[in-house]
Amino acid sequence: MISLLRGIASNPSRHHLTTDEVQAIQTCIDNLEADERRKKLGESVNITKTIVSAVRMLQEILQEIPWP
């Protein structure tokens, strides 16, 4: 999931992303990475909530991309 988001954010012009959309993707990446760190430390983490949030945001962005 993180790799997919990084790939999309790394080439915003190719994916017709605005600066705000790139920032939203980066925020999702940061949240997923923070959940992974907390999980490794043995903390209780609801990563499902973070993933659902990222997927919803990604769906909104993908709907706006002009696909060939």
Side-chain angles (χ1 to χ4, degrees):
M1 177 70 138
I2 292 173
S3 295
L4 172 65
L5 293 172
R6 277 194 185 123
I8 292 170
S10 69
N11 196 347
S13 61
R14 177 177 180 213
H15 300 292
H16 308 282
L17 300 177
T18 66
T19 302
D20 289 342
E21 290 168 333
V22 173
Q23 184 58 45
I25 291 170
Q26 187 57 52
T27 298
C28 289
I29 292 169
D30 294 345
N31 291 342
L32 289 166
E33 289 175 337
D35 280 358
E36 285 183 1
R37 284 191 300 275
R38 285 193 294 273
K39 188 174 180 181
K40 286 179 183 177
L41 294 172
E43 295 180 28
S44 177
V45 175
N46 184 356
I47 198 163
T48 302
K49 183 178 177 182
T50 306
I51 290 173
V52 167
S53 174
V55 168
R56 285 184 181 152
M57 181 274 312
L58 191 55
Q59 281 178 317
E60 289 176 23
I61 291 171
L62 290 174
Q63 287 175 353
E64 296 175 15
I65 294 175
W67 296 97

